[in-house]
Amino acid sequence: MTNKPKDWVFTDPRLREMKQDYAAYTEEDFKVWKILFERQIVNLPKAASIAYLEGIKEVNFTADKIADFEDVNRRLAASTGWAIQVVPGLIDDDLFFGLMNNKRFCSSTWLRKMEQLDYLEEPDMFHDAFAHMPMLTNQPYVDFLENLSGLALKHIENKWAIEVLSRIYWFTIEFGLIRENGELRIYGAGILSSAGETKYSLSDEPAHYEYNVRRIMNTPYWKDKFQDKYFIIESYEQLYKSLPEIEAVLEEMVAEEAK
Ligand SMILES: [Fe+2]
């Protein structure tokens, strides 16, 4: 993997050219987007990270218009240089990390139905767009994502290494909290697309720990219920600067597992 050129992913036969078919969205889709958007946006001024609140303005999301990826891509190009890559849903780990290592964030284009407003088995585009895309305007955040993915690619053949790195992804990109002006705020997309977990994650119910690379890498997670613990960063620079430590702990854990 390390001998391949960085942009190998774009010539991979598994990566199909897919586009968002905006004209295909139905009236129900627009209604679902609007309900989810309006229900969650009111919670965010007091709950979301400043980076997210600035980012959602920068990508220009509104309740009345399902996110249009062409427009998002134009705005991201002028911001951090990232872009959205439409994918059919869950894709192989090497493609997922290979795309992010090339500044492409994967997104689905389908929206949940009215009867699935609160529970989904697989992330839909409301999660991928509303919760993830605003953060792609933050430079240290995307630099972290790009380089974390590069690290994953180096170890892509090793299931244990990917599991351990997924824990970092999970407790930061999906379920991370940040301290801003002395207050807890959310930047994790898994929380930002859930009204229930937004309230819960900031309450006294779950445990809150300071960001700790070694601890996170030794912490398994679950996908089907609220987390019982969250990790708090002090800044997005802190994430980026923790990459050498992530690499060092990873190498240690991989060596230990191989014994
Ligand atoms: Fe996600």
Side-chain angles (χ1 to χ4, degrees):
M1 198 55 72
T2 41
N3 302 327
K4 285 190 188 177
K6 190 177 175 181
D7 62 356
W8 64 272
V9 70
F10 297 121
T11 51
D12 191 284
R14 289 169 299 165
L15 188 72
R16 282 176 289 145
E17 178 64 36
M18 290 183 71
K19 281 205 155 143
Q20 180 186 36
D21 183 1
Y22 204 86
Y25 287 120
T26 63
E27 215 172 289
E28 180 180 352
D29 291 330
F30 276 91
K31 214 181 270 176
V32 165
W33 173 273
K34 188 178 170 72
I35 291 171
L36 292 170
F37 190 103
E38 286 181 338
R39 194 168 70 176
Q40 184 61 338
I41 200 76
V42 292
N43 299 325
L44 296 186
K46 287 202 171 100
S49 163
I50 295 163
Y52 176 87
L53 296 171
E54 285 174 355
I56 196 165
K57 280 190 230 149
E58 209 170 323
V59 294
N60 198 29
F61 288 170
T62 61
D64 294 321
K65 195 168 174 287
I66 293 172
D68 175 347
F69 295 174
E70 265 183 37
D71 187 43
V72 174
N73 281 345
R74 265 192 302 272
R75 289 166 185 274
L76 289 180
S79 169
T80 52
W82 275 56
I84 306 309
Q85 172 86 37
V86 175
V87 293
L90 298 176
I91 56 168
D92 294 336
D93 284 341
D94 64 326
L95 282 184
F96 178 71
F97 289 119
L99 284 164
M100 290 199 292
N101 194 227
N102 284 281
K103 303 184 167 68
R104 297 290 192 285
F105 194 79
C106 300
S107 178
S108 52
T109 57
W110 64 278
L111 267 166
R112 66 194 79 180
K113 297 288 170 208
M114 212 55 117
E115 62 274 13
Q116 301 169 296
L117 283 185
D118 293 301
Y119 183 74
L120 270 188
E121 289 184 3
E122 224 183 275
D124 69 343
M125 76 92 81
F126 182 75
H127 168 80
D128 291 339
F130 180 87
H132 278 288
M133 292 178 194
M135 288 303 300
L136 300 177
T137 60
N138 185 280
Q139 198 64 54
Y141 173 97
V142 289
D143 291 345
F144 169 69
L145 207 43
E146 179 182 344
N147 288 285
L148 182 71
S149 302
L151 191 53
L153 289 175
K154 262 201 222 170
H155 295 270
I156 201 72
E157 313 294 346
N158 184 323
K159 274 208 164 75
W160 172 238
I162 297 303
E163 163 65 28
V164 163
L165 289 176
S166 298
R167 293 172 182 174
I168 293 281
Y169 186 89
W170 189 262
F171 285 111
T172 59
I173 305 301
E174 293 292 352
F175 291 93
L177 300 180
I178 185 167
R179 190 174 288 107
E180 286 174 344
N181 304 320
E183 276 178 33
L184 280 191
R185 295 284 178 134
I186 302 160
Y187 71 95
I191 312 175
L192 289 169
S193 55
S194 157
E197 194 155 356
T198 291
K199 203 165 169 215
Y200 166 86
S201 67
L202 299 177
S203 75
D204 292 336
E205 235 179 293
H208 293 115
Y209 301 117
E210 300 307 313
Y211 181 64
N212 180 316
V213 161
R214 188 179 292 274
R215 184 164 193 168
I216 292 176
M217 291 169 85
N218 283 286
T219 303
Y221 58 88
W222 47 70
K223 290 186 166 177
D224 50 357
K225 51 183 173 178
F226 291 174
Q227 306 302 308
D228 65 349
K229 55 181 86 64
Y230 299 92
F231 291 87
I232 307 160
I233 59 171
E234 296 295 331
S235 69
Y236 299 104
E237 284 79 8
Q238 183 188 14
L239 281 182
Y240 181 72
K241 286 188 190 145
S242 74
L243 283 159
E245 189 189 354
I246 294 172
E247 183 158 23
V249 175
L250 180 68
E251 268 153 27
E252 207 182 286
M253 287 176 77
V254 164
E256 187 61 35
E257 180 77 1
K259 270 187 196 165

